[in-house]
Amino acid sequence: MDEWFSHTVRVRFAETDAQGIAHHASYVVWLEEARVAHLAAVAGGYTAIRERGIEALTTGIELTYERGAAFDDVLIVRVRCAEARGARFRYEYVVERDGMRVATGSTRHATGDASTHRPIRVPAWLVDDLLREPGLPSAPSSVSP
Amino acid sequence: MDEWFSHTVRVRFAETDAQGIAHHASYVVWLEEARVAHLAAVAGGYTAIRERGIEALTTGIELTYERGAAFDDVLIVRVRCAEARGARFRYEYVVERDGMRVATGSTRHATGDASTHRPIRVPAWLVDDLLREPGLPSAPSSVSP
Amino acid sequence: MDEWFSHTVRVRFAETDAQGIAHHASYVVWLEEARVAHLAAVAGGYTAIRERGIEALTTGIELTYERGAAFDDVLIVRVRCAEARGARFRYEYVVERDGMRVATGSTRHATGDASTHRPIRVPAWLVDDLLREPGLPSAPSSVSP
Amino acid sequence: MDEWFSHTVRVRFAETDAQGIAHHASYVVWLEEARVAHLAAVAGGYTAIRERGIEALTTGIELTYERGAAFDDVLIVRVRCAEARGARFRYEYVVERDGMRVATGSTRHATGDASTHRPIRVPAWLVDDLLREPGLPSAPSSVSP
């Protein structure tokens, strides 16, 4: 999965539950943290997107848990934007520990006006940014608003 | 949706985010709270199930967000166990506010041994309990362990 | 503690940790939920206060944990506003289970302009509301803005 | 504050609230994360302590908030164990952003038997570890159990 962006999280004690493993809601927050880190790497970050008048709303989430994660485990969240068109984009995730899959998931998002939250198309510069490989330079469209 | 069980939550301030609405991870916790309340109504509660040697693990979740929820909103979480067979069961949810749908979702679960977490079939008494209508008495199988 | 306001919470599974008890950060959220319920009982609620141009910021918290709380425990959070003067007010809390003390705490707050967050004195109508006994009618000052 | 240990956190979007700043309960989790990192640096980590039969319970917390923290802010949590005697120890914290103080706090802890949670004295090797400067080698007492 070379084209994926990798983000590392370490399981906090507060994120565990009485089953002795990370609570299943914690993963939702980790996916978001990885998505934010990906956006920072490819599109100048979530704050920069908002400053250009775009708000990104989460419209769906799906997670499959394959293994438990324990306190202090170091997890790699692999993340990529799999699709961006119209006023929607979708992210995919694989959570791993020591090369073994712990969970997989995806999130769906809608772009809206940052003030009114009314849907607006994902701008071309953002589509380019979301779908390009992290580490490659932005297309010119993303630097000239 | 008469056969569904209803559980009420009020959006906590701590559950909101800087978009001014309830964070999308908060719903995962509300679904769990509703599921726990349903289990208490039909099967003597999660603690009772564990005391009979059964642990329920969450193996998947899926949520679609249709509207934002604001601080102090009163939400009704409608919940039912939609399926229980083998070592798996599945719950469905509809989150509403003032009769309007805010979100829908489902969760998947596996039953395991409470000590070893190794998969074991959902016992017949639990299948009966999970799938019966809340408010009806337990089948005899569920009161005689 | 007859003049205290009582608010009930039930420990969520997501609020427990790998020690098998409610995580100590969960209490901070319960105190807030109790404070919000107290504000609703005496001062028309936090939202009403904000609509009158006042924002309440949390400037300090202090908690002493005396006993653990387990999943599904029903806890009574007793709460009162102990002091309100200048641009500050202070709340006190006692968390109980079955009449036994589980934790005690206090929070400090500052009132500010709802838009700029700059400090402003706690208005007289709010002082009256905060310090009066829940269940008694508001002083006239609080109904005529 | 040269003898303090420094731990970095970045404010997650899920940790903000509808006031647009990090919710005050989020700091409790950051202090814990910094404390765990300090324990890893001086005493082989929380897990190692538990494996030697010692459980650390949180018995109190105190936080003073001086400035708000926004989404994506990078915060330095400075942390040290200020005192360890009998069956108790105490940590102190300063949270900073760009060299400015955002919050200060302290937590109190009790050591207990890892199985029964009954109080036991903080062992000499742990006192030595807790109070020594991070980066210095462990005293011999801490490497020979």
Side-chain angles (χ1 to χ4, degrees):
Chain A
M1 302 193 306
D2 284 346
E3 82 277 35
W4 295 57
F5 179 78
S6 289
H7 180 72
T8 302
V9 298
R10 186 182 281 268
V11 179
R12 296 171 170 184
F13 196 75
E15 292 169 339
T16 61
D17 64 28
Q19 285 185 341
I21 54 176
H23 188 268
H24 62 285
S26 306
Y27 293 70
V28 179
V29 177
W30 302 336
L31 300 194
E32 179 179 69
E33 188 175 292
R35 188 168 67 245
V36 163
H38 176 268
L39 280 171
V42 299
Y46 174 65
T47 303
I49 293 171
R50 293 202 69 203
E51 280 166 3
R52 292 172 83 164
I54 309 289
E55 181 63 276
L57 300 164
T58 299
T59 56
I61 191 160
E62 171 271 316
L63 266 160
T64 298
Y65 307 95
E66 303 187 10
R67 282 181 176 78
F71 164 61
D72 221 28
D73 274 2
V74 174
L75 304 176
I76 309 294
V77 185
R78 301 198 188 279
V79 52
R80 69 171 176 188
C81 183
E83 193 180 357
R85 57 177 173 185
R88 304 189 170 279
F89 59 97
R90 192 168 64 80
Y91 266 82
E92 293 177 344
Y93 312 82
V94 179
V95 182
E96 296 178 348
R97 182 189 49 224
D98 299 332
M100 286 195 311
R101 212 156 65 181
V102 170
T104 57
S106 64
T107 53
R108 285 169 281 131
H109 305 273
T111 41
D113 181 273
S115 317
T116 65
H117 283 198
R118 289 176 56 177
I120 53 177
R121 292 182 67 82
V122 186
W125 61 264
L126 183 53
V127 173
D128 287 349
D129 281 349
L130 288 174
L131 298 180
R132 75 191 167 85
E133 201 169 321
L136 294 188
S138 290
S141 60
S142 78
V143 289
S144 54
Chain B
M1 302 193 306
D2 285 346
E3 82 277 33
W4 295 57
F5 180 77
S6 290
H7 180 71
T8 302
V9 298
R10 185 183 282 268
V11 180
R12 296 171 169 183
F13 196 75
E15 291 169 339
T16 61
D17 64 28
Q19 285 185 341
I21 54 176
H23 188 267
H24 62 284
S26 306
Y27 293 70
V28 178
V29 177
W30 301 337
L31 300 195
E32 179 179 68
E33 187 175 292
R35 187 168 66 245
V36 164
H38 175 268
L39 279 171
V42 300
Y46 174 65
T47 303
I49 292 172
R50 292 202 71 204
E51 281 166 2
R52 292 173 82 166
I54 308 290
E55 181 64 275
L57 300 164
T58 299
T59 56
I61 191 161
E62 171 270 315
L63 266 160
T64 299
Y65 306 96
E66 304 188 8
R67 285 181 173 78
F71 165 61
D72 221 27
D73 274 3
V74 174
L75 305 176
I76 309 295
V77 184
R78 300 198 189 279
V79 53
R80 68 170 176 188
C81 184
E83 193 181 357
R85 56 177 174 186
R88 305 190 169 279
F89 59 98
R90 193 169 63 80
Y91 266 83
E92 294 177 343
Y93 311 83
V94 179
V95 182
E96 297 178 347
R97 182 188 50 224
D98 299 332
M100 285 194 313
R101 211 156 66 182
V102 169
T104 58
S106 65
T107 53
R108 284 169 281 131
H109 305 272
T111 40
D113 182 273
S115 317
T116 64
H117 283 198
R118 288 176 58 177
I120 53 176
R121 291 182 67 82
V122 186
W125 60 265
L126 184 53
V127 173
D128 287 349
D129 281 349
L130 288 174
L131 299 180
R132 75 192 167 84
E133 201 169 323
L136 294 188
S138 289
S141 61
S142 77
V143 289
S144 54
Chain C
M1 302 192 305
D2 285 348
E3 82 276 36
W4 295 57
F5 180 77
S6 290
H7 180 72
T8 302
V9 298
R10 187 182 281 268
V11 179
R12 295 171 171 183
F13 196 75
E15 292 169 337
T16 61
D17 63 29
Q19 285 186 341
I21 53 176
H23 188 266
H24 62 285
S26 306
Y27 293 70
V28 178
V29 176
W30 300 336
L31 300 195
E32 179 178 69
E33 188 174 291
R35 187 167 66 246
V36 163
H38 176 267
L39 279 171
V42 300
Y46 173 66
T47 304
I49 293 172
R50 292 202 70 204
E51 280 166 3
R52 292 172 82 164
I54 309 289
E55 180 64 276
L57 300 164
T58 299
T59 56
I61 191 161
E62 170 270 315
L63 266 161
T64 298
Y65 307 95
E66 304 187 9
R67 283 182 177 76
F71 165 61
D72 221 28
D73 274 2
V74 174
L75 304 176
I76 308 294
V77 184
R78 302 200 186 278
V79 53
R80 68 171 176 188
C81 183
E83 193 181 356
R85 56 176 173 186
R88 303 189 170 281
F89 59 98
R90 192 168 65 80
Y91 267 83
E92 293 178 344
Y93 312 82
V94 179
V95 181
E96 296 178 349
R97 182 188 50 223
D98 299 332
M100 285 196 312
R101 210 155 67 181
V102 169
T104 58
S106 65
T107 53
R108 285 168 281 130
H109 305 274
T111 40
D113 182 273
S115 319
T116 65
H117 283 198
R118 288 176 56 177
I120 53 175
R121 292 182 67 81
V122 185
W125 62 265
L126 183 53
V127 173
D128 286 350
D129 281 349
L130 288 174
L131 298 181
R132 75 192 168 83
E133 201 168 323
L136 294 187
S138 290
S141 60
S142 77
V143 289
S144 53
Chain D
M1 302 193 306
D2 284 346
E3 83 276 33
W4 295 57
F5 180 79
S6 290
H7 180 72
T8 302
V9 298
R10 186 183 282 267
V11 180
R12 295 171 170 183
F13 196 74
E15 291 169 339
T16 61
D17 64 28
Q19 285 186 340
I21 53 176
H23 188 269
H24 63 283
S26 306
Y27 293 69
V28 178
V29 177
W30 301 336
L31 300 195
E32 179 178 69
E33 188 175 292
R35 187 168 66 245
V36 163
H38 176 267
L39 280 171
V42 299
Y46 174 66
T47 303
I49 293 172
R50 293 201 70 203
E51 280 166 2
R52 292 172 81 164
I54 309 290
E55 181 64 276
L57 301 163
T58 299
T59 56
I61 191 160
E62 171 271 316
L63 266 161
T64 298
Y65 306 95
E66 304 188 9
R67 285 180 173 77
F71 165 61
D72 220 28
D73 274 2
V74 174
L75 304 177
I76 309 294
V77 184
R78 299 198 188 279
V79 53
R80 68 171 175 188
C81 183
E83 194 180 356
R85 56 177 173 186
R88 304 190 169 279
F89 59 98
R90 192 169 64 81
Y91 266 83
E92 294 178 343
Y93 311 83
V94 179
V95 182
E96 297 179 347
R97 182 188 51 224
D98 299 332
M100 285 195 312
R101 211 155 67 181
V102 169
T104 58
S106 65
T107 53
R108 284 169 281 130
H109 305 273
T111 40
D113 182 272
S115 317
T116 64
H117 284 198
R118 288 177 57 177
I120 53 176
R121 292 182 67 82
V122 186
W125 61 266
L126 183 53
V127 173
D128 287 350
D129 280 349
L130 289 174
L131 299 181
R132 75 191 168 84
E133 201 168 323
L136 294 188
S138 291
S141 60
S142 78
V143 290
S144 54

